[in-house]
Amino acid sequence: MPTLNLGMIVTMSEQKKHELKLDQHLALLARMTQEFTTSLDIEETLHNAIVQMMDYMNAEAASIFLLENDDTELVCRACAGPIKLLGLRLPADHGIIGNTVKQNQVQMVLDVSADPDFTAQVDEQTGFTTHSILCAPLTVMNKKLGAIELINKKTDDGLFVTDDQHMLTALASSAALAIHNAAMAASLVEQERIQRELELAREIQGNLLPTPKHASFPIHGYNLPMREVSGDFYDYFTLPDGRIVFNLADVSGKGMNAALLMAKTSSLFHCLGKTQTSPRKLLAMVNNEVHENSTRGMFVTMVGGIFDPASNEILLANAGHQPPLLQHADGHFEEILGESPPLGILPNIEFPETKLQLADGSLYIYTDGVTESQQNGQMLGEEGLQDMINSHRDKPAAARLEAMFDSLQRDGRLLHDDVTVLVIENSQLTPSLCLHIKSNPSELKGLRDRARKTVLAAGCSLEQAESIVLAIGEAVSNIIQHAYNAEDGDIELNINVDHQIEPAQFIIVLRDYAETIDINEIRSRALDDVRPGGLGVHFMKQLMDSLIYTVPEDGLGNRLEMRITINAKNK
Amino acid sequence: MQKISDSPVSFEIDDEQGYLIVRFAGEIDLYGTPHAREVILNCVKSDRNTVIDLSAVTYIDSSGVASLVEGYQLAKTNQLEFGLINTSEAVMNVLQLAHLDKVFSIHASLNERLQAS
């Protein structure tokens, strides 16, 4: 900005003076607009701007007040001059500045003592004396942001003039735009921060749900949150004795508070459920803990229980959750009713247990997000859920759940709430093969076909199925050739899944009744020695995680146990 | 295709471009191997260059692999060519498991074998 040479102005004509002043006006406007549009630090920019405006317009003091706190207050965000007003909070309707904002009009008060809107409160607090005020509103697209105020013109008469009014109006427009843009940018940054935190919360919540098990595991769950975070959850874990503890729950409310209560309740259940295996006592313990320090009015509905795959028996307790559906083997559905209140409402209450024989049926535990989903204004309801289950009944449990969720999302259905379903079934899917064959090579193909079918039903990949079939084929060929020396004999093959180990394994056991062999003689040959034979044991070792030869407990023949992790890579 | 008794493997032999081509199909396991071995060894013993087409073999176990090794060794002794063509994925996996994929001369087809030599 060129410096103002007063000597020159005095000698200039009025026309020249006016032109020079216009140039200076435009130069200041251009510079400030530039600063406003490029600055990232709005507070510093406003401060620099107010100092320049005060100097240029020859005022004694200047300040910028912005509406805050739901537009109920005007807060000083920049000031220049002898008194420090930064941070000063005034009611939004306070004095001349309040009036400027309210009326959205420039106010020029030449003598404040004669203005009824003027309040001397600030002067009294600061010891400053206000004579005249020029105040312009800060507005963007009809949105009021605050006002710029200039105090006491430093001329002999101390009065602002119409030129000042025009100049401040122009400056106020570009300042308002800068403030508005900065506020938008800050709000975007804040939104992004919240989004990132929600994504993190969602990830943490997802980790609280159990990892999906392979198809033969008797329990499968599915959760579809409607927002970033969910109030629904489910869990299942196997105890050392083979029984499986499970739950499904729905926290009242939605959003972050529901998500936090979900995290707390699921952690409590997971931790206490490892030692307290009575659903009645377990739910009572979780209830007392949740009640002790839960936020008023929040509660959790839950079905918690324990499933014993050996006896096919389920023991469950229901805390205010909708009744689970048991679909019997003949296809008919039965509601498993419960009468206890949700967790977290009353301390020291009972949650009676129900004992169920699963047989070849399936137990569905679900949240109301499923039955309350709508299509063409019609809620799915319990019958709709039953139809949906039936239409996918031919699929294995995990695939059935996936298909149900696909149709829930695909059919233009309106989902209002988180949707969660847990299914428990222990039917034909658990692979177990017990096969007796004669020690004869002609039996091999049939045996391979049965074994392949069994392991594929357990959810293993085609590639792994071929590896397992080859290992079994080699083991049986060895028994035929070496244990029985091509003579008659019996061979038994058992394939089972060991769920106790995480991830689950196939246990493949071969038993013969030939003469007990010397384990030390079973070895594979060196591979660089290219000759026929001796490859079978090498194949078995390569294809399986472990091979253990033992003498059976009855002392007859030989027992070979091979194990392999289901769908382990590079096997 | 000639069936080998009631075993799950069958074969046919063609005479093409100076080679005997044995085309096996099905599953070569302990049941079919003695016959498959005989077929392979007879070709080599007839003093002919032999290639084994394994495109239609869906399963082969260590006994089947052993008969291929025997054919390979006999051919080598008699200074004859012996190779595999068209090996199916199932067979290739097993050959790799036995580390024999680099021992046998394996080609995609007889023509490719001829071009390579």
Side-chain angles (χ1 to χ4, degrees):
Chain A
M1 176 186 170
T3 26
L4 202 59
N5 188 330
L6 290 173
M8 273 173 70
I9 295 174
V10 175
T11 56
M12 276 177 188
S13 68
E14 279 307 307
Q15 174 64 26
K16 282 273 181 199
K17 269 203 239 171
H18 182 74
E19 280 175 13
L20 181 64
K21 194 159 187 180
L22 197 62
D23 279 354
Q24 288 163 353
H25 268 40
L26 289 174
L28 178 68
L29 257 176
R31 194 171 61 251
M32 284 203 181
T33 308
Q34 172 77 8
E35 277 183 29
F36 282 140
T37 49
T38 53
S39 169
L40 291 173
D41 184 346
I42 189 67
E43 289 206 0
E44 194 190 332
T45 311
L46 286 181
H47 176 76
N48 291 340
I50 202 78
V51 171
Q52 289 185 53
M53 281 187 227
M54 181 186 73
D55 289 346
Y56 181 75
M57 300 189 66
N58 209 15
E60 226 178 293
S63 51
I64 292 177
F65 279 77
L66 299 181
L67 280 166
E68 289 182 15
N69 207 1
D70 288 334
D71 295 354
T72 59
E73 285 184 317
L74 281 162
V75 183
C76 180
R77 287 296 169 210
C79 73
I83 51 161
K84 300 290 169 224
L85 299 179
L86 208 61
L88 178 72
R89 310 181 90 86
L90 301 171
D93 56 357
H94 180 92
I96 293 167
I97 193 163
N99 220 6
T100 308
V101 174
K102 193 173 160 192
Q103 295 178 8
N104 198 22
Q105 268 183 357
V106 181
Q107 310 267 314
M108 190 159 72
V109 182
L110 301 181
D111 179 7
V112 295
S113 62
D115 191 301
D117 286 336
F118 180 71
T119 54
Q121 187 193 333
V122 178
D123 280 6
E124 283 162 13
Q125 281 175 13
T126 58
F128 184 82
T129 308
T130 304
H131 300 295
S132 58
I133 289 179
L134 177 60
C135 192
L138 294 164
T139 314
V140 172
M141 294 175 288
N142 293 330
K143 177 159 174 53
K144 295 171 178 174
L145 303 176
I148 298 183
E149 190 176 50
L150 298 179
I151 297 172
N152 300 351
K153 180 97 174 177
K154 287 199 281 188
T155 47
D156 293 342
D157 59 4
L159 299 180
F160 290 103
V161 294
T162 317
D163 260 7
D164 296 330
Q165 191 177 331
H166 292 155
M167 182 66 186
L168 190 62
T169 307
L171 288 171
S173 307
S174 64
L177 202 57
I179 293 164
H180 175 73
N181 288 346
M184 294 268 285
S187 134
L188 269 178
V189 169
E190 178 65 6
Q191 274 177 26
E192 268 178 31
R193 188 187 62 79
I194 292 173
Q195 191 57 38
R196 272 199 307 276
E197 281 182 6
L198 281 172
E199 276 162 19
L200 197 62
R202 182 178 190 144
E203 198 183 315
I204 291 170
Q205 270 205 312
N207 288 339
L208 290 173
L209 299 178
T211 334
K213 299 278 192 282
H214 63 84
S216 67
F217 193 75
I219 303 186
H220 298 274
Y222 211 108
N223 164 252
L224 181 71
M226 276 304 97
R227 298 174 167 208
E228 278 82 358
V229 288
S230 174
D232 286 4
F233 65 92
Y234 64 88
D235 193 9
Y236 47 74
F237 49 91
T238 310
L239 298 173
D241 63 7
R243 290 182 300 165
I244 306 164
V245 180
F246 64 87
N247 74 9
L248 178 140
D250 186 355
V251 177
S252 67
K254 294 182 178 68
M256 198 49 95
N257 51 356
L260 289 171
L261 186 56
M262 168 267 176
K264 177 186 174 171
T265 315
S266 76
S267 307
L268 273 171
F269 185 96
H270 195 87
C271 180
L272 296 171
K274 285 181 177 163
T275 46
Q276 180 49 265
T277 58
S278 146
R280 179 173 62 84
K281 291 181 186 162
L282 179 56
L283 261 62
M285 284 165 84
V286 176
N287 174 56
N288 286 344
E289 284 293 325
V290 171
H291 175 263
E292 210 170 282
N293 37 33
S294 81
T295 315
R296 242 181 94 192
M298 290 194 76
F299 57 86
V300 183
T301 68
M302 178 189 281
V303 172
I306 187 161
F307 171 58
D308 186 351
S311 64
N312 235 355
E313 216 166 70
I314 295 175
L315 204 56
L316 62 81
N318 187 340
H321 197 84
Q322 56 213 78
L325 274 177
L326 174 62
Q327 184 174 33
H328 291 273
D330 63 4
H332 88 272
F333 286 93
E334 180 192 353
E335 273 195 341
I336 310 301
L337 299 167
E339 289 165 1
S340 306
L343 305 174
I345 293 179
L346 297 165
N348 307 320
I349 46 170
E350 288 284 314
F351 296 92
E353 285 171 351
T354 308
K355 191 186 271 190
L356 299 173
Q357 180 50 243
L358 190 59
D360 286 335
S362 313
L363 182 71
Y364 293 88
I365 310 170
Y366 58 96
T367 56
D368 52 13
V370 183
T371 41
E372 287 173 7
S373 66
Q374 288 186 14
Q375 194 175 33
N376 306 326
Q378 196 86 28
M379 284 217 290
L380 180 71
E382 202 183 282
E383 263 180 43
L385 172 62
Q386 294 181 8
D387 290 345
M388 196 178 268
I389 291 169
N390 280 332
S391 64
H392 299 292
R393 206 178 164 204
D394 56 330
K395 297 184 176 72
R400 189 184 321 139
L401 267 191
E402 213 165 297
M404 284 165 62
F405 273 78
D406 269 357
S407 29
L408 273 176
Q409 290 173 85
R410 203 184 40 233
D411 303 344
R413 206 165 266 288
L414 215 56
L415 303 174
H416 298 288
D417 200 355
D418 304 331
V419 182
T420 309
V421 182
L422 195 74
V423 57
I424 306 178
E425 65 181 36
N426 196 22
S427 48
Q428 66 283 359
L429 278 171
T430 301
S432 90
L433 177 68
C434 183
L435 201 60
H436 292 254
I437 61 161
K438 292 284 166 209
S439 170
N440 190 321
S442 64
E443 301 259 9
L444 281 167
K445 182 169 164 48
L447 172 115
R448 287 198 300 270
D449 291 344
R450 293 283 300 275
R452 186 181 293 112
K453 208 172 155 188
T454 302
V455 294
L456 282 174
C460 94
S461 67
L462 273 172
E463 200 187 343
Q464 190 179 39
E466 287 313 313
S467 296
I468 293 171
V469 164
L470 181 60
I472 293 173
E474 294 296 346
V476 176
S477 295
N478 269 349
I479 295 172
I480 296 171
Q481 283 180 292
H482 304 300
Y484 284 119
N485 279 318
E487 297 196 348
D488 287 348
D490 293 313
I491 302 170
E492 287 168 22
L493 166 67
N494 278 284
I495 304 178
N496 279 296
V497 172
D498 186 350
H499 291 301
Q500 306 300 316
I501 292 172
E502 194 70 42
Q505 293 185 338
F506 282 119
I507 318 171
I508 300 155
V509 177
L510 279 158
R511 165 88 197 261
D512 64 60
Y513 298 87
E515 206 170 300
T516 300
I517 49 165
D518 181 356
I519 292 159
N520 297 320
E521 281 184 8
I522 302 167
R523 58 177 182 269
S524 50
R525 67 163 172 81
L527 288 171
D528 48 4
D529 172 18
V530 179
R531 61 175 171 80
L535 280 171
V537 175
H538 166 72
F539 283 3
M540 286 151 65
K541 283 184 176 167
Q542 285 288 301
L543 296 167
M544 295 288 118
D545 290 344
S546 66
L547 304 182
I548 302 167
Y549 289 94
T550 47
V551 177
E553 280 174 16
D554 56 15
L556 296 173
N558 303 285
R559 182 182 188 275
L560 165 63
E561 181 177 308
M562 302 192 284
R563 282 177 171 261
I564 183 159
T565 300
I566 299 182
N567 282 340
K569 295 205 173 85
N570 69 42
K571 276 281 172 193
Chain B
M1 276 281 171
Q2 244 181 287
K3 200 90 176 109
I4 297 179
S5 66
D6 58 348
S7 82
V9 64
S10 54
F11 74 98
E12 59 186 18
I13 302 176
D14 290 312
D15 197 335
E16 285 176 27
Q17 304 181 68
Y19 287 84
L20 286 182
I21 303 180
V22 187
R23 294 195 167 87
F24 283 109
E27 303 180 32
I28 308 180
D29 64 6
L30 191 63
Y31 192 34
T33 288
H35 310 284
R37 174 177 176 272
E38 206 180 319
V39 171
I40 295 168
L41 294 183
N42 281 344
C43 288
V44 180
K45 281 177 187 163
S46 65
D47 217 23
R48 295 289 305 275
N49 293 331
T50 304
V51 289
I52 315 292
D53 184 326
L54 295 161
S55 59
V57 174
T58 53
Y59 178 87
I60 188 165
D61 70 359
S62 62
S63 68
V65 172
S67 54
L68 294 176
V69 171
E70 266 194 275
Y72 162 81
Q73 288 179 324
L74 184 64
K76 207 171 159 189
T77 311
N78 297 351
Q79 293 181 316
L80 291 164
E81 285 183 43
F82 185 90
L84 311 182
I85 56 169
N86 256 330
T87 34
S88 66
E89 199 188 330
V91 174
M92 201 60 195
N93 287 341
V94 178
L95 292 179
Q96 282 167 351
L97 204 60
H99 298 194
L100 288 170
D101 50 320
K102 297 284 183 288
V103 173
F104 287 119
S105 119
I106 303 174
H107 291 92
S109 63
L110 180 58
N111 279 339
E112 197 186 274
R113 184 185 172 83
L114 290 169
Q115 278 166 17
S117 56

